[in-house]
Amino acid sequence: MQLHPLSPITYLFDSEAGTNRIDYFFIDSDNISDARFRDALQQQVEIAHTQLTDKNYDISSVYVYRRTSNLNHEFSGDAEALRGVFDNDIISYSRWNKGQLDIFYILDDGKVVFNLLTNESVDPPWEFD
């Protein structure tokens, strides 16, 4: 498995929580029901987060999307172009709060279906916003 940078790879902003960073990637395959796939995805996301995050952010997140005809190496949109438009294509969302990984969800069709931190299915699935 390989994470591919998705433009814009990084979005920086300030909020009431402090300084925030979001990194965006896409992957070629998305076999979310396979435990080995989920483990490999978590490992790759954590490596990418460590390599990309050059300072401590209050909140830093990583979104991974599935490759589609719109989300691929040619995508040139910004963070606003992604927000709310391609939610059904998000494969995973992970968040570090003050440097500690506190959320790592697997999504399917815009719904959270698996929590990688607890290694449990989410039942019932819920819509990710």
Side-chain angles (χ1 to χ4, degrees), residues 18-89:
T19 304
N20 299 264
R21 176 185 177 121
I22 302 175
D23 292 299
Y24 301 95
F25 296 92
F26 70 90
I27 56 174
D28 295 320
S29 63
D30 59 358
N31 190 6
I32 61 174
S33 63
D34 182 1
R36 291 175 301 193
F37 170 84
R38 294 189 305 262
D39 290 343
L41 177 63
Q42 183 172 2
Q43 181 181 23
Q44 290 300 311
V45 167
E46 289 182 10
I47 289 169
H49 179 264
T50 300
Q51 291 174 344
L52 289 171
T53 307
D54 54 356
K55 73 172 207 164
N56 290 329
Y57 293 90
D58 295 296
I59 302 289
S60 57
S61 303
V62 174
Y63 285 85
V64 178
Y65 293 82
R66 72 176 41 91
R67 177 196 289 266
T68 68
S69 59
N70 293 314
L71 300 173
N72 52 51
H73 290 292
E74 296 175 9
F75 183 78
S76 61
D78 59 13
E80 289 299 318
L82 291 169
R83 186 169 298 138
V85 178
F86 300 103
D87 289 355
N88 287 349
D89 296 316

Side-chain angles (χ1 to χ4, degrees), residues 85-104:
V85 178
F86 300 103
D87 289 355
N88 287 349
D89 296 316
I90 300 172
I91 296 297
S92 73
Y93 169 75
S94 51
R95 182 184 77 182
W96 285 256
N97 188 342
K98 306 244 186 268
Q100 298 298 311
L101 182 60
D102 68 343
I103 294 175
F104 205 128

Side-chain angles (χ1 to χ4, degrees), residues 98-123:
K98 306 244 186 268
Q100 298 298 311
L101 182 60
D102 68 343
I103 294 175
F104 205 128
Y105 295 141
I106 300 292
L107 289 86
D108 188 26
D109 290 325
K111 292 187 168 82
V112 174
V113 296
F114 199 86
N115 183 334
L116 270 172
L117 296 183
T118 63
N119 201 33
E120 296 176 332
S121 294
V122 173
D123 190 26

